[in-house]
Amino acid sequence: MHMSDGLLNAGTSVLFGAVAVIGVAVAMAGSRRDLDDRTAPLAGLVAAFVFAAQMLNFPVLPGVSGHLLGGALAAILVGPWVGALCVTIVLVIQSLLFADGGLTALGANVTNMALIGTVVGYVVAVALRGLARRSRAGLVGVAFVAAFVNTVVASAGFVLEFAIGGDAGGVSFGGVAGTVLGVHCLIGIGEGVITALTVGAVASVRPDLVYLLRGNEKPLEIREGARHE
Amino acid sequence: MSAHALHRPGDTSAHLLAPQIKIVSTFLFVVCVVATPRTEFAAFGAYLVVLTGVWVIARIPPRWLAPRALIEVPFVALAVLLPFVGGGTRTDMLGVSVSVDGALAGWNIVAKGTLGVLASLTLAATTSPSEILLGLQRLRVPKLIITVATLMLRYVELIAAEARRMRLARIARGHDPRFLWQVGATARGIGTLFVRTYERGERVHLAMLSRGWTGAMPEPNPPRVSTVDWLAGLVPAGLAAAMLVGALWAG
């Protein structure tokens, strides 16, 4: 999923670089509500978590493994703004420090994985929030759907960028789109299962940490009747 | 994966150059590579010569770079397929029918991807993670992003080590996942990791506040960077730009 240099031409790279800068600026403005300069350490640890979680490989088929993208996971756990910001920072650091993902493709990578992925995952999760609040099984199901849609739509972002500025050497657009989307449907199932079980595990220990469930706490109820007169 | 895995400490002029210059120079270099038309084979060779020059100055041996460049292999696999599935005119190469357009498209991805990875590796080898963040800070990247990235780098090894210990503990209890439906234990491990990470974040945050954290990392005595440094640091990018202009002019 981390695009390398040369997949997109220079013009398209610049275009999506601009899209990424605008998107990240919006995410920063939005995250001011959840985060200020002094709570940044918490976001740093969340980013470290996304980084570490991306290093865990999971088996998809014998011999084929995928790794977590983490967009929907971050959006459900810490909200879309901080989530997008954390995934962006992970991508920038991977590109500058680990040569993972090309420097000129950074804009497109941020657009796909940090912006589209997180926002789409969150929108799906919010649309199904009623279900998520009803029961643990509902929450797990919503997390699965959000992560699956996140992965497939993020890969559709790649297909779009490749169609605008890629050089497929005469391979038909439908062929590229079909292959990429097909593979990412498989990866999306893995992403969905991990995201769902992870969110379920967090919700059973610290439900207050699940951003999607905010506002779900029952107010403290003081009952009359057991009072000694 | 350690956060310092790619840094090769040294005291060459390439290491000592201010990080913001190196970041800008690397970025401009890669932009030139990507903007080069795919049939300008000589230009791609010339870019490699420029990079080789930087490696000589920075004393980075090619055998250090080669295994680390393998990170781009998934995309090379895509590029290798293109000559066979590509459309348009076909030609015979070693008795196999390949598409000319597909072969050029594959070459385009391999050549630019490889040069991009090598340029990024050169930056990472000569610049420590904290210097790269310092460079980004001096390039006016917003304070919030720098703070989050600094803390991420500071704690990522700790979190990754915790993840490794949890994995080792699972394996020691007979965990051996092969299929997707066996992913439950791993996922619950990730959930636990999140809770532990977040609670550590809360503690770190309180500890930093109690030590007077105001929201920005102070940078004591920022050194003055001279125009000469900028000019010297931008030489590789300038050479690349000159070659790009030359290639476009000739083509």
Side-chain angles (χ1 to χ4, degrees), chain B residues 66-78:
Chain B
R68 288 165 179 84
L70 290 179
I71 194 159
E72 60 146 357
V73 157
F75 286 96
V76 175
L78 170 77

Side-chain angles (χ1 to χ4, degrees), chain A residues 156-209:
Chain A
F158 166 74
V159 171
L160 175 76
E161 284 145 16
F162 199 62
I164 295 175
D167 181 3
V171 181
S172 70
F173 172 69
V176 174
T179 314
V180 171
L181 291 179
V183 169
H184 281 87
C185 280
L186 275 182
I187 297 179
I189 293 175
E191 174 100 12
V193 170
I194 300 231
T195 303
L197 293 173
T198 306
V199 170
V202 175
S204 62
V205 188
R206 291 277 307 264
D208 58 313
L209 293 189

